[in-house]
Amino acid sequence: DAKTTQPTSMDCAEGRAANLPCNHSTISGNEYVYWYRQIHSQGPQYIIHGLKNNETNEMASLIITEDRKSSTLILPHATLRDTAVYYCIVRVEPRAAGNKLTFGGGTRVLVKP
Amino acid sequence: GAGVSQTPSNKVTEKGKYVELRCDPISGHTALYWYRQSLGQGPEFLIYFQGTGAADDSGLPNDRFFAVRPEGSVSTLKIQRTERGDSAVYLCASSSSPGDTQYFGPGTRLTVL
């Protein structure tokens, strides 16, 4: 699986949009971008994933650049409960071989009042 | 519905002892994964089951670690002759089928004194 690079930490203001960048310049054509988050003392929580088109669900939006070398996770209206470590993961076609998730260090996001 | 559950939530043991950690996946999920998370780091893959069989055990650190899933549902991670370096949070995840979104349990915090 391709390596990802994320900022170590970032702060954002409650009620504002939080934009979390991820670099995956070595991504292959059959690799998806996944985002998980981990709130303190809990297991990782799935947020969203995509291949090349932008995706949106009830939690967040995922914007993938046209060359697929980077992506941004957008939390539209950050709340204090969004404080967590956010992991960007690149993973081969889900139903192909290699079902494990390879986590990096993630971005520690602190939402401030 | 019920999510992934793990027991115990905390386990303290002495160096050299044997421990068992249990994972109850989401009902009907055929794929089950174990990860280990050391303090300040992202989770690391240990082993993946499809049904009763271990499809990928490449992440098990050594032969002191073993996992079973005899009936294709509940799984037990077994650690023999525990060492202080085994102290970590052990996470379990399940997915409805291989490659689908993985849903994580809360983890078992293992402390080896």
Side-chain angles (χ1 to χ4, degrees):
Chain A
D1 296 333
K3 179 179 170 57
T4 62
T5 304
Q6 299 177 253
T8 303
S9 65
M10 63 183 294
D11 296 344
C12 61
E14 186 181 19
R16 304 293 293 271
N19 297 294
L20 283 60
C22 180
N23 182 287
H24 33 79
S25 58
T26 61
I27 194 170
S28 300
N30 65 342
E31 289 181 316
Y32 284 66
V33 180
Y34 277 72
W35 283 83
Y36 278 77
R37 73 179 183 184
Q38 188 170 25
I39 295 169
H40 184 60
S41 296
Q42 296 183 23
Q45 177 190 23
Y46 166 79
I47 301 174
I48 199 167
H49 75 280
L51 180 62
K52 55 183 178 181
N53 297 322
N54 298 336
E55 302 287 345
T56 295
N57 63 20
E58 65 279 4
M59 290 183 68
S61 294
L62 174 61
I63 308 299
I64 303 174
T65 58
E66 191 169 344
D67 64 8
R68 304 211 318 124
K69 294 185 176 182
S70 65
S71 60
T72 301
L73 179 74
I74 301 172
L75 308 177
H77 304 285
T79 72
L80 300 180
R81 288 175 294 180
D82 291 323
T83 291
V85 178
Y86 287 76
Y87 295 101
C88 170
I89 299 166
V90 169
R91 183 189 184 199
V92 297
E93 159 62 38
R95 287 170 178 76
N99 290 299
K100 63 187 177 185
L101 296 173
T102 302
F103 290 81
T107 296
R108 189 171 299 274
V109 174
L110 176 62
V111 180
K112 295 182 174 180
Chain B
V4 177
S5 62
Q6 293 185 245
T7 54
S9 55
N10 281 283
K11 176 71 176 178
V12 180
T13 191
E14 294 180 343
K15 180 175 178 296
K17 299 290 188 182
Y18 168 83
V19 296
E20 290 189 351
L21 311 179
R22 176 187 168 108
C23 172
D24 279 87
I26 293 171
S27 178
H29 279 196
T30 63
L32 184 146
Y33 311 79
W34 284 98
Y35 293 81
R36 178 169 72 172
Q37 186 171 26
S38 299
L39 191 63
Q41 298 183 17
E44 293 180 301
F45 170 79
L46 294 176
I47 187 170
Y48 149 60
F49 285 90
Q50 173 51 32
T52 60
D56 182 357
D57 65 358
S58 62
L60 294 178
N62 52 59
D63 61 6
R64 295 187 298 106
F65 288 74
F66 189 70
V68 296
R69 195 185 184 201
E71 298 179 356
S73 178
V74 170
S75 176
T76 304
L77 179 66
K78 309 181 180 193
I79 310 174
Q80 299 177 322
R81 304 183 303 279
T82 52
E83 300 177 356
R84 293 194 179 88
D86 299 334
S87 295
V89 175
Y90 289 81
L91 294 160
C92 176
S94 70
S95 65
S96 57
S97 61
D100 282 343
T101 299
Q102 295 181 27
Y103 296 92
F104 284 79
T108 293
R109 180 175 298 278
L110 175 66
T111 302
V112 182
L113 301 177

